[in-house]
């Protein structure tokens, strides 16, 4: 694997982080070589056993201290996020909300999730056994992150792994590593925590070195990179959990509350300038309300304010695209749609200055256009008129991705029925992106959107553990019936017992010959 970055910057001893809104250099960090990553991994491994020995309650104490420190430094951390991502100040704040929720959820519930599980033995022959499942963390978990939520992404995954008792080696995106690097410094230098959280900064090659240094890998990013990581994990025979791209569909049925659906579409499609894996990327509206929906959507999108507003100002709704490459991808999708007959009712061309793409509503779209097939990851809402729910669901499922989706209707039974037809890891009814922020629920993608579940519920901790099957004898017998030596008498009586206890009809239970 070679060093590369999304905007083509070359590998070197350090790399610059640029603000996409104005091109200013927001910071500079080391592009760590594989040998440095290996050394960092060794330090983390050395600290891990003591961390595990603290037990869940001891570990939760440090997570709470960390959360306090994050909140005490909130404004400074968010300024870093804004300087490296070009987000609006309002969008920036969401990152901390995630931190509070996830850290509290796993610190509070971690001990219960990690407790040994007692299980009832199956079948009378095992009644003398005591069965338990024990959870033992992978010593070192690697985590590689994308650029769209510089704090939100790591803070969805890291708390669960730390609660599990693992040491964690993180690798933030080279596009937005500044805020996360500071949060990891907070863990190591400000709250007296054991040194079990590391941060490897660098380009793609640094990420590849992380995969080579750890016992389990959690990756969030593009499907293209995810496949490479899955292949390398298979070669190393380590488990991987992959959270990849999406193309989430919104299905608006004729009985929906149109105003709420329009509000949800604007937020779900344009939040963070559309740079969310779970963003609404395409909309299917039943014919009777299509005109009303499109007219209200267009009016609402025209009211959005775009820019990187000053800290604390809340004067802009959505901000910049993170990189020139991402902006060009959005341009390509919109240009392709327009060339094939679509119309842009708002936006449709990049802004004159900075990496901004104006929020864009596209109509007269169809599945021959890349904007309906490939992940756009930008502020575009292509809307398609459909005859009925059958056509809507057929088109919604006509995608290589399967991350999330939403259904908008006043009929709860219809919503329930159609949700089961959605081939996605999550479905929200009358809301956008909602399933991801309900922490007891598993979050994960189907099809090309990923493997495994990223976080949510007990799995958000247990996925970082190996399961140990534990069996103990309740009664100490001198021997077991299946132990040596074999004998005709003993084996025959075992066969009889197996039939008597295991069969469902008396003829077989008693070992009688089958009727001819
Ligand atoms: P990316 O795949 O280009 O990069 C992600 C990370 O992988 C970066 O840190 C990068 O340095 C690293 N990397 C690159 N090459 C590597 C290699 N060979 N080995 C190891 N690491 C390597 O993704 P991106 O452009 O930063 O992020 C955008 C993508 O992330 C979108 O496709 C989006 O859908 C996806 N995403 C998914 C979720 C989810 O939960 N499903 C969440 C956010 C983003």
């Amino acid at each position: 694997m070679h060093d590369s970055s999304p905007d083509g910057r070359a590998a070197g001893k350090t790399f610059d982080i640029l603000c996409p809104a104005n091109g200013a250099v927001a910071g500079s960090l080391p592009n760590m070589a594989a040998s440095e990553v290996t050394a960092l991994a060794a330090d983390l491994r050395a600290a891990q056993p003591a961390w595990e020995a603290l037990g869940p309650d001891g570990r939760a104490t440090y997570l709470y201290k960390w959360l306090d420190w994050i909140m005490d430094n909130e404004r400074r951390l968010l300024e870093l996020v804004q300087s490296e991502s070009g987000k609006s100040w309002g969008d920036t704040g969401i990152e901390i909300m995630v931190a509070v929720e996830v850290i509290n959820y796993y610190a509070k519930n971690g001990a219960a999730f990690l407790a040994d599980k007692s299980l009832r033995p199956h079948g009378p022959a095992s009644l003398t056994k005591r069965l338990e499942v024990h959870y033992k963390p992978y010593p070192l978990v690697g985590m590689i992150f994308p650029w769209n939520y510089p704090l939100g992404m790591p803070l969805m995954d890291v708390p669960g792994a730390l609660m599990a008792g693992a040491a964690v080696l993180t690798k933030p995106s080279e596009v937005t590593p500044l805020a996360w690097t500071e949060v990891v410094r907070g863990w190591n230098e400000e709250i007296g925590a054991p040194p079990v959280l590391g941060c490897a900064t660098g380009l793609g090659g640094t990420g590849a070195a992380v995969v080579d240094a750890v016992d389990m890998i959690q990756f969030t990013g593009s499907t293209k990179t995810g496949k490479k990581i899955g292949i390398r994990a298979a070669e190393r025979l380590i488990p991987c959990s992959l959270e990849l791209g999406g193309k989430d569909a919104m299905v608006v049925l004729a009985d929906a509350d149109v105003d709420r659906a329009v509000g949800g579409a604007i937020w779900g499609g344009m939040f963070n300038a559309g740079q969310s894996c779970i963003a609404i990327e395409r909309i299917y509206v039943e014919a009777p309300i299509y005109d009303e929906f499109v007219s209200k959507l267009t009016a609402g999108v025209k009211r959005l304010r775009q820019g990187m507003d000053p800290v604390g100002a809340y004067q802009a709704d959505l901000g910049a695209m993170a990189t020139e490459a991402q902006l060009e991808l959005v341009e390509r999708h919109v240009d392709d749609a327009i060339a094939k007959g679509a119309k842009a009712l708002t936006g449709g061309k990049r802004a004159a200055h900075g990496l901004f793409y104006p929020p864009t509503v596209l109509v007269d779209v169809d599945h021959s256009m890349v904007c309906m097939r490939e992940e756009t990851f930008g502020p575009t809402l292509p809307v398609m008129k459909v005859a009925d729910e059958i056509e809507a669901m057929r088109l919604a499922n006509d995608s290589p991705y399967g991350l999330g989706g939403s259904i908008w209707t006043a009929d709860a039974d219809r919503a329930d029925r159609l949700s089961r037809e959605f081939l996605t890891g999550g479905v929200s009814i009358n809301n956008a992106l909602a399933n991801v922020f309900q922490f007891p629920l598993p979050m994960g993608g189907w099809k090309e959107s990923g493997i495994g579940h990223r976080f949510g519920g007990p799995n958000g901790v247990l996925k970082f553990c190996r399961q140990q099957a534990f069996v103990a004898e309740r009664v100490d017998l001198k021997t077991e019936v299946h132990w040596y030596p074999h004998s005709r008498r003993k084996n025959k009586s075992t066969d009889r017992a197996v039939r008597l206890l295991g069969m469902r009809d008396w003829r077989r239970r008693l070992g009688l010959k089958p009727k001819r």
Side-chain angles (χ1 to χ4, degrees):
M1 297 189 202
H2 300 288
D3 278 345
S4 63
S5 77
D7 53 4
R9 280 170 286 161
K13 284 199 170 14
T14 61
F15 62 99
D16 289 341
I17 297 96
L18 308 177
C19 175
N22 54 28
V25 176
S28 182
L29 284 170
N31 180 23
M32 285 172 65
S35 56
E36 293 171 282
V37 173
T38 313
L40 178 54
D43 291 346
L44 292 165
R45 277 184 193 285
Q48 186 272 335
W51 176 243
E52 185 184 344
L54 281 179
D57 292 339
R59 297 195 289 271
T61 311
Y62 286 107
L63 286 175
Y64 286 130
K65 281 187 188 177
W66 195 35
L67 178 57
D68 291 346
W69 182 86
I70 291 171
M71 294 313 285
D72 292 348
N73 291 274
E74 180 186 13
R75 198 174 171 97
R76 196 169 60 77
L77 294 172
L78 290 182
E79 281 177 30
L80 281 174
V81 170
Q82 200 185 31
S83 73
E84 60 189 342
S85 67
K87 294 181 196 228
S88 66
W89 183 251
D91 277 359
T92 307
I94 300 278
E95 307 252 350
I96 292 284
M97 281 166 59
V98 174
V100 175
E101 293 288 322
V102 181
I103 292 177
N104 277 329
Y105 179 73
Y106 282 114
K108 183 173 161 210
N109 295 299
F113 294 158
L114 288 161
D116 297 345
K117 304 272 179 300
S118 292
L119 299 169
R120 277 167 64 90
H122 167 74
S126 299
L127 283 176
T128 57
K129 317 279 187 234
R130 181 159 67 84
L131 308 187
E132 289 180 2
V133 182
H134 299 168
Y135 300 99
K136 179 100 178 140
Y138 291 101
L140 183 58
V141 170
M143 294 190 175
I144 299 175
F145 301 108
W147 42 255
N148 54 343
Y149 296 98
L151 292 184
M153 288 292 115
L155 286 167
M156 280 180 162
D157 299 317
V158 169
L162 288 174
M163 267 315 290
V168 185
L169 174 53
T170 61
K171 152 71 177 84
S173 165
E174 57 273 43
V175 180
T176 55
L178 296 173
W180 178 246
T181 305
E182 176 59 9
V183 170
V184 174
R185 194 194 65 76
W187 174 276
N188 287 305
E189 295 178 17
E190 302 288 348
I191 62 166
V196 287
L197 179 60
C199 181
T201 58
L203 313 187
T206 308
V210 168
V211 183
D212 281 349
V214 297
D215 307 308
M216 186 264 174
I217 185 80
Q218 166 70 48
F219 172 76
T220 306
S222 65
T223 299
K224 191 172 154 218
T225 309
K227 285 181 181 174
K228 285 188 202 166
I229 287 175
I231 289 168
R232 185 63 189 138
E235 282 170 352
R236 293 203 54 230
L237 226 53
I238 60 167
C240 65
S241 177
L242 306 175
E243 283 303 319
L244 311 176
K247 190 75 193 166
D248 288 8
M250 171 181 193
V251 171
V252 189
L253 301 174
D255 61 355
D257 174 339
V258 174
D259 293 322
R260 182 171 170 82
V262 164
I266 295 173
W267 187 75
M270 303 302 181
F271 172 63
N272 205 37
Q275 298 166 109
S276 303
C277 52
I278 45 162
I280 293 172
E281 290 244 340
R282 51 202 171 110
I283 307 180
Y284 304 98
V285 187
E286 270 191 317
I289 57 161
Y290 175 82
D291 289 340
E292 181 190 358
F293 181 88
V294 169
S295 130
K296 288 181 169 171
L297 180 72
T298 308
V301 169
K302 279 186 178 159
R303 282 195 293 272
L304 292 174
R305 302 155 303 167
Q306 189 169 32
M308 189 178 98
D309 48 343
V311 170
Y314 299 102
Q315 288 162 352
D317 297 309
L318 65 155
M321 307 307 300
T323 65
E324 173 64 31
Q326 189 58 41
L327 195 147
E328 283 170 10
L329 192 151
V330 177
E331 276 188 308
R332 182 168 67 77
H333 283 204
V334 174
D335 293 351
D336 169 81
I338 290 171
K340 289 178 179 155
K343 276 202 283 298
L345 301 183
T346 65
K349 270 204 169 9
R350 72 187 284 167
H353 304 289
L355 300 185
F356 292 97
Y357 199 93
T360 298
V361 174
L362 291 169
V363 292
D364 299 339
V365 292
D366 61 45
H367 277 219
S368 72
M369 302 170 184
V370 282
C371 71
M372 299 300 278
R373 309 283 310 160
E374 295 174 17
E375 185 181 52
T376 307
F377 223 60
T380 58
L381 282 174
V383 192
M384 200 170 157
K385 190 195 291 185
V386 291
D388 52 26
E389 65 178 43
I390 297 174
E391 188 184 14
M393 292 309 300
R394 180 178 59 74
L395 290 168
N397 284 330
D398 177 24
S399 172
Y401 293 108
L403 194 54
S406 60
I407 301 170
W408 302 71
T409 172
D411 182 339
D413 291 339
R414 202 177 176 199
D416 189 77
R417 179 170 50 78
L418 294 178
S419 68
R420 290 162 207 276
E421 289 182 24
F422 242 115
L423 299 176
T424 54
V427 185
S428 299
I429 308 302
N430 294 326
N431 212 329
L433 286 48
N435 60 294
V436 175
F437 301 103
Q438 298 306 315
F439 299 118
L441 290 175
M443 189 255 167
W446 296 0
K447 302 197 270 183
E448 295 229 337
S449 291
I451 294 180
H453 283 102
R454 174 176 189 179
F455 84 128
N459 176 61
V461 172
L462 299 182
K463 65 184 277 190
F464 301 113
C465 296
R466 296 155 293 179
Q467 295 188 28
Q468 184 178 60
F470 170 90
V471 53
E473 299 301 321
R474 289 180 194 279
V475 186
D476 279 334
L477 301 171
K478 285 274 173 260
T479 184
E480 297 270 335
V481 285
H482 54 279
W483 287 4
Y484 291 144
H486 290 307
S487 79
R488 184 178 298 279
R489 198 164 139 256
K490 196 177 79 170
N491 286 46
K492 269 200 156 173
S493 58
T494 310
D495 289 349
R496 274 198 209 106
V498 167
R499 282 181 165 273
L500 193 62
L501 298 170
M503 295 294 96
R504 287 164 296 146
D505 64 276
W506 280 107
R507 185 177 58 72
R508 290 187 176 83
R509 278 184 184 152
L510 297 174
L512 303 177
K513 291 223 161 81
K515 283 183 191 149
R516 301 245 166 217

